[in-house]
Amino acid sequence: MPASAPTRRDAHVLGSHRTILRFGTVVAIWVALTGDFATGADAPAQTQAQIAASQWGSRGWPLLETYCIDCHSSDYAEAEVDLSDFKTLDGVQRHSELAVHVISMIRFAAMPPEDAELPETAERRELADLLDALVFHATCDLRPRPGRTTARRLNRAEYNNAIRDLFGVDVRPADTFPSDEVGGGFDNNADVLTLSTMLMDKYLTAAEDVTSQLIVDPDTLVQINKTFAGETLYVVGDTRTGSFGQRYVAPDGFAWFDVEIPVRGEYSIEVRGSSRIASHGAALVAMHTTEGTLRATFELEHRDGRSDEDFDSARITLDAGTHRLFFQRSTTPANQLDELKKTDDWQIGESVSPRFAELSDESLNESRSVDAETLKPERGVNEDEFPIRYRSVVVKGPRASTRSDLPPGQKQLLGRMPERRHNRYVDVEKATRNCLRPLMRRAFRGEVNDDDITPYVNAVKEITDRGDSYYEAIRVAISAVLVSPRFLFRIEVPESDEQRELARSGEAIPLSSNQLASRLSFFLWSSVPDDSLLDAAKRDELTNREKMLRHVRRMLADPKSNSLGSQFARQWFALGNLQNRDLSEFAKFRSSDNADDAGDELAITPAMLSSETEQLFLHLLRENRPVAELLTSERTFVSRPLAQWYGVEFPADAEDREIAAIDISAQGRRGILGHAGVLLLTSYPTRNSPVQRGKWILENVLGTPPPEAPAGVPSLEETDTASADATLREQLELHRADPGCASCHRVMDALGFGLEDYDHFGRLRPEDDPARGDASGELPGGRAFEGAAQLARLLAETEERALADTTVRRMLAFAIGRELRPSDRCFVEAILEETQDQRYRVGDLLEQVILSPPFLNHQAEVPSL
């Protein structure tokens, strides 16, 4: 914001023919609503309103009366439009939306019609400018409100992203939801996001499906509990079998077996065995792999009885697959072995066991062939010759929390599990609160207290008390969180009695820090706030301009801000319509520039075409480049097939990336008007459409959508052609001969013909293609151009403010989730004035949108109970 209010400027026509007579008023209103400066701007605002009304009465109303009132009066309201009330400021205020439409029609030269008395170009411009200034003061001088935003549910993209960010999984359940309605060009418009019974059923199903993928009861998964009894162990070396099936092994021998591990995890290895000779002391057993890597040690105490054995166990992590484990009595002291276990690459060597060093497949195969005589139980085994005996080795697992086949975020999500005793869980409430509190804080986009969590905890306790699994119970609780209105809806209501009182009077109310955190995250990420943003909200930092902007810049650097491309830019430029286009024709074309690619089909998808425009917008945003580079950028972002389509080399240093930045200036392409996706969606399936392309530029670049065609006007195909061989330009010229068509098509067709360099698939036409001769035109004011590159440059030079105005309006509508109203114009103008000196840099525009009163405030009426 400027340090002080600027001086009043004289009325002046901008590049888009708008006046800045209202600039002082803009700043005054901005100051009053943001509180950044001292108030006291009422006097200059009132003075400028009086000036605008005086100029309208002396020059504007007579022009409107001359050219419009005959057809649009209270006596004869053509098309049910009566402009007789526009004589005064109050009348314009009452019909501000109609006035905005009238300005568009006059400026676009759609009215008066060609067969009526027409104003001179200067008169048309003056009439539009004076009415524009009057509308501005009618809507902005009278204490404008930021506007009421309806409570709105999450749209499909926001739901998917919220699930992704809450749980770290990209399962996209909302892809099965009914399509979201679109209002004002965006599918996050609160006024059209209705909730049907079908969608509620989808929410319930999605919650159950998501939680079933998030949390799995390990008891329902495959486990092993395999016992290798003494007589079933393989032994390399001399061996005997005891009376109770124990396997005696000579000092230099090995017991071993193969075990099939079903899934990576931590397994328990339990060894039972001992020595019966007291003088031998405890037997130390080393377990190692085929490679000789020490994995565990077991200390088996001396036992006197013939059948009594000591027991020791260890936990080790094993990968899925077959493992061969060896067990050998070790003479190395236990403390040394413990140190050796910490050295992952320590190997059993000759100094420990010469026999293992000589181990071969042949000796292992021999040990498998155990004859009945060897297994015959013996009494009185000489335990000096066989100092260690094994009763059994048991492999169990994996331990629940270590399984690799559990959902990746399950351990972090559940935190500490409740202890289970005698098939019942204890400390369920503590464990459940520990699990749900951080999740509910993020899902509900704000702090939660014990009272918020208690109903969910009670549900878990009720389920576990009847004997069901805690995993099943916590799935139910999380499902309930995901169907709560606090998750599904974004509701911004006053949080104090004072604010509620202001709301009843219709006053603008500053958003709380939590509400700002939610607005920021859904604007920049189309998702829920992260912990950092919620922590900042808890500290009330987001009400501080500089601290909030630091978070904005952090969020833009996060890959989650790609949603500004996939959601905002995609919808702004109507790229979602590419999903309805048949792209099979792309596969029929071959690259002519690279012999190695000849014959390869071009697998170009709608996502590739849309991504090019999305990525250019994101590049300009993150690099804070001037908005005009949307039209003039020589850099674009393409996939390998699209680069081939354009006839440029995909960068060799980008082999590992799906998208790469390339220079396309040599192909005559500039900015979004040279993007294949834009050119394709503004064409018919079999031919170009200058009309659709011109209309797209008017709507999405210049922000001046043409009016609907008058009733009864024939389509181009129904228009009589000059001859059977008439060109598209000749047919359109004949179409414009109808006065009802000429006013709109004069500018629209000229813009569209500027893109005739490209065919209906966005491919650059050959130089000798006759259609390239049609790629020229002239815009109002004698602004001539030749081809798409010149058109893009011309629009960037002369319509920069119009493009910036369109950008701000689209950003603001997307950010606050509603269509803009006439009263929003003063905020848009303030943003443009603030960023004009730096040529409307995209990052600056976005920051100013966030700092604007419509974003920082809301207006809500709270009914009395």
Side-chain angles (χ1 to χ4, degrees):
M1 294 293 295
S4 61
T7 59
R8 185 186 310 166
R9 301 186 183 185
D10 295 332
H12 182 69
V13 180
L14 300 172
S16 61
H17 311 316
R18 293 185 173 90
T19 66
I20 57 170
L21 177 66
R22 53 193 173 269
F23 180 56
T25 305
V26 169
V27 174
I29 294 169
W30 190 285
V31 165
L33 289 181
T34 61
D36 281 352
F37 306 100
T39 57
D42 291 344
Q46 180 65 21
T47 300
Q48 291 198 27
Q50 291 173 345
I51 292 173
S54 175
Q55 291 177 337
W56 172 251
S58 62
R59 304 203 315 268
W61 172 252
L63 287 171
L64 191 74
E65 200 171 26
T66 299
Y67 295 108
C68 305
I69 293 299
D70 281 351
C71 295
H72 300 289
S73 66
S74 56
D75 296 329
Y76 183 73
E78 177 73 19
E80 298 182 2
V81 173
D82 178 7
L83 304 181
S84 57
D85 228 12
F86 280 23
K87 189 172 184 177
T88 65
L89 179 66
D90 289 341
V92 171
Q93 181 190 357
R94 286 194 298 271
H95 307 288
S96 58
E97 293 192 18
L98 173 60
V100 171
H101 177 66
V102 169
I103 293 167
S104 175
M105 299 287 281
I106 295 171
R107 189 165 279 150
F108 193 75
M111 287 290 162
E114 291 286 313
D115 57 352
E117 182 182 0
L118 298 177
E120 298 293 333
T121 301
E123 290 180 311
R124 182 184 297 278
R125 183 174 299 176
E126 183 180 23
L127 174 58
D129 290 343
L130 290 172
L131 183 56
D132 189 37
L134 192 68
V135 171
F136 180 85
H137 289 295
T139 57
C140 291
D141 284 354
L142 305 178
R143 192 61 188 268
R145 306 291 189 260
R148 182 181 298 105
T149 300
T150 310
R152 62 185 180 272
R153 64 169 173 81
L154 305 187
N155 64 21
R156 295 200 303 173
E158 291 167 343
Y159 187 98
N160 280 338
N161 292 345
I163 295 298
R164 176 200 66 196
D165 296 336
L166 286 174
F167 304 112
V169 293
D170 194 8
V171 294
R172 305 190 63 80
D175 288 354
T176 65
F177 294 177
S179 296
D180 295 314
E181 296 294 329
V182 175
F186 297 106
D187 63 7
N188 69 344
N189 188 303
D191 293 330
V192 298
L193 287 172
T194 57
L195 180 62
S196 64
T197 54
M198 175 188 294
L199 182 56
M200 195 64 236
D201 183 65
K202 290 284 188 180
Y203 281 145
L204 293 168
T205 301
E208 293 170 351
D209 289 345
V210 167
T211 54
S212 68
Q213 296 179 62
L214 291 173
I215 299 172
V216 174
D217 187 346
D219 290 345
T220 64
L221 301 176
V222 61
Q223 301 182 56
I224 62 169
N225 186 356
K226 187 167 182 61
T227 299
F228 297 88
E231 63 268 26
T232 64
L233 293 172
Y234 304 128
V235 175
V236 176
D238 202 2
T239 181
R240 297 290 186 273
T241 301
S243 301
F244 297 93
Q246 309 97 318
R247 200 68 178 275
Y248 289 84
V249 181
D252 61 349
F254 296 88
W256 68 278
F257 57 78
D258 289 332
V259 60
E260 187 69 26
I261 298 299
V263 61
R264 177 179 170 81
E266 188 178 84
Y267 290 79
S268 172
I269 312 294
E270 302 172 355
V271 179
R272 291 185 180 275
S274 66
S275 168
R276 288 181 58 221
I277 300 178
S279 60
H280 290 174
L284 188 63
V285 175
M287 185 186 79
H288 52 83
T289 65
T290 303
E291 295 77 20
T293 303
L294 181 67
R295 297 303 308 275
T297 58
F298 306 89
E299 191 169 2
L300 303 176
E301 299 289 347
H302 157 72
R303 290 289 187 270
D304 289 331
R306 294 180 178 274
S307 61
D308 188 24
E309 306 289 2
D310 193 16
F311 165 87
D312 199 5
S313 67
R315 290 177 175 174
I316 63 171
T317 299
L318 296 172
D319 290 325
T322 302
H323 289 263
R324 181 166 290 171
L325 301 178
F326 294 85
F327 298 81
Q328 172 205 12
R329 184 174 183 272
S330 174
T331 58
T332 303
N335 61 340
Q336 291 185 28
L337 281 180
D338 288 339
E339 290 300 315
L340 289 172
K341 280 194 296 183
K342 300 176 184 178
T343 307
D344 293 338
D345 59 352
W346 183 79
Q347 306 288 308
I348 299 286
E350 288 189 15
S351 60
V352 178
S353 174
R355 181 181 291 277
F356 183 76
E358 299 170 359
L359 199 61
S360 65
D361 289 340
E362 182 179 354
S363 60
L364 290 177
N365 289 332
E366 287 179 1
S367 69
R368 292 177 186 271
S369 304
V370 181
D371 55 29
E373 192 64 28
T374 302
L375 293 176
K376 184 177 180 180
E378 297 183 27
R379 292 180 177 273
V381 175
N382 186 338
E383 296 193 22
D384 285 322
E385 297 179 9
F386 301 94
I388 182 69
R389 64 183 182 185
Y390 300 99
R391 180 65 176 267
S392 66
V393 179
V394 180
V395 181
K396 295 180 180 179
R399 195 157 63 97
S401 62
T402 68
R403 303 181 65 106
S404 64
D405 56 350
L406 291 175
Q410 176 165 318
K411 183 177 180 180
Q412 182 178 0
L413 177 62
L414 295 184
R416 188 173 63 183
M417 288 286 296
E419 187 180 350
R420 195 168 189 176
R421 298 176 187 168
H422 306 296
N423 294 324
R424 294 187 68 84
Y425 294 96
V426 295
D427 291 333
V428 169
E429 180 176 349
K430 185 176 182 180
T432 304
R433 289 186 184 275
N434 183 63
C435 165
L436 293 181
R437 187 179 298 275
L439 171 64
M440 291 174 63
R441 179 183 188 240
R442 293 193 62 195
F444 294 169
R445 282 91 72 180
E447 303 307 313
V448 292
N449 55 39
D450 287 343
D451 289 340
D452 297 322
I453 304 172
T454 296
Y456 302 91
V457 173
N458 291 342
V460 173
K461 282 180 58 63
E462 182 178 344
I463 294 171
T464 54
D465 285 349
R466 70 189 185 207
D468 289 342
S469 162
Y470 177 77
Y471 296 95
E472 175 61 29
I474 203 69
R475 280 202 297 260
V476 171
I478 295 176
S479 295
V481 169
L482 296 182
V483 295
S484 166
R486 293 181 65 179
F487 172 68
L488 294 176
F489 286 86
R490 295 171 56 193
I491 303 173
E492 297 167 347
V493 296
E495 296 186 349
S496 67
D497 292 340
E498 181 182 1
Q499 287 188 336
R500 292 186 189 92
E501 188 62 33
L502 287 173
R504 292 188 181 96
S505 64
E507 290 295 321
I509 304 167
L511 295 174
S512 69
S513 284
N514 279 333
Q515 291 167 347
L516 280 174
S518 186
R519 275 205 179 183
L520 282 174
S521 65
F522 280 101
F523 176 31
L524 303 180
W525 289 345
S526 292
S527 185
V528 294
D530 62 0
D531 286 330
S532 178
L533 199 57
L534 290 175
D535 290 342
K538 186 177 182 179
R539 296 189 296 267
D540 204 28
E541 291 180 356
L542 300 183
T543 55
N544 178 283
R545 169 188 171 127
E546 294 306 320
K547 290 181 178 179
M548 181 171 68
L549 288 181
R550 281 200 292 270
H551 277 283
V552 169
R553 291 156 192 163
R554 173 186 70 84
M555 295 170 74
L556 289 177
D558 192 294
K560 288 188 287 188
S561 67
N562 288 340
S563 66
L564 281 169
S566 61
Q567 296 305 309
F568 170 64
R570 180 181 62 84
Q571 295 185 76
W572 172 9
F573 298 120
L575 297 167
N577 293 332
L578 289 169
Q579 297 290 339
N580 303 322
R581 301 306 296 263
D582 180 7
L583 304 186
S584 60
E585 289 296 316
F586 277 107
K588 298 179 181 179
F589 296 100
R590 305 288 186 265
S591 170
S592 59
D593 298 328
N594 189 339
D596 293 336
D597 291 335
D600 290 344
E601 290 189 351
L602 297 182
I604 293 177
T605 65
M608 290 179 187
L609 296 171
S610 179
S611 176
E612 178 183 16
T613 307
E614 295 167 17
Q615 292 299 319
L616 175 59
F617 172 79
L618 290 171
H619 166 70
L620 300 182
L621 171 64
R622 288 167 176 158
E623 298 297 322
N624 200 21
R625 302 296 302 167
V627 72
E629 290 188 19
L630 275 172
L631 297 171
T632 62
S633 176
E634 296 181 351
R635 171 187 286 192
T636 193
F637 301 83
V638 297
S639 60
R640 185 182 300 277
L642 196 53
Q644 186 177 334
W645 176 254
Y646 286 159
V648 296
E649 291 289 336
F650 195 77
D653 60 354
E655 293 293 329
D656 59 338
R657 300 201 301 270
E658 293 183 3
I659 301 291
I662 61 171
D663 189 313
I664 54 172
S665 58
Q667 282 67 40
R669 297 180 188 269
R670 294 289 189 281
I672 58 177
L673 299 186
H675 288 185
V678 171
L679 295 165
L680 176 66
L681 70 86
T682 54
S683 300
Y684 290 116
T686 58
R687 67 167 176 85
N688 283 15
S689 174
V691 175
Q692 288 195 39
R693 288 179 174 178
K695 182 175 183 288
W696 186 91
I697 294 173
L698 285 168
E699 289 178 343
N700 300 291
V701 176
L702 304 181
T704 311
E708 294 296 325
V713 173
S715 65
L716 178 62
E717 286 74 11
E718 297 170 342
T719 302
D720 293 334
T721 58
S723 70
D725 299 325
T727 65
L728 188 57
R729 182 180 284 272
E730 290 171 339
Q731 293 182 59
L732 283 171
E733 287 175 353
L734 188 63
H735 191 69
R736 289 198 299 273
D738 186 323
C741 304
S743 55
C744 294
H745 282 272
R746 185 183 302 111
V747 176
M748 192 158 56
D749 293 0
L751 292 169
F753 272 112
L755 305 183
E756 281 297 284
D757 289 346
Y758 309 103
D759 66 13
H760 59 292
F761 274 94
R763 184 175 53 171
L764 189 65
R765 298 183 191 272
E767 291 286 349
D768 58 355
D769 190 326
R772 291 198 68 166
D774 282 340
S776 61
E778 182 176 311
L779 299 179
R783 295 173 291 169
F785 58 88
E786 187 77 31
Q790 285 189 20
L791 173 61
R793 190 180 305 113
L794 177 64
L795 292 176
E797 292 172 355
T798 64
E799 301 293 338
E800 183 180 48
R801 188 177 178 100
L803 174 58
D805 182 272
T806 304
T807 304
V808 171
R809 289 175 179 276
R810 298 299 176 92
M811 274 188 186
L812 187 56
F814 183 80
I816 63 179
R818 64 167 173 82
E819 293 188 63
L820 299 193
R821 305 180 178 98
S823 59
D824 293 310
R825 300 181 64 219
C826 48
F827 306 122
V828 173
E829 292 292 339
I831 292 171
L832 295 176
E833 292 295 337
E834 179 68 17
T835 57
Q836 179 176 343
D837 290 345
Q838 295 298 316
R839 294 190 55 210
Y840 313 110
R841 295 179 179 272
V842 181
D844 293 345
L845 295 178
L846 181 136
E847 289 188 0
Q848 290 300 315
V849 164
I850 290 172
L851 294 174
S852 70
F855 189 90
L856 298 176
N857 300 270
H858 67 125
Q859 178 182 342
E861 294 178 358
V862 179
S864 300
L865 298 179

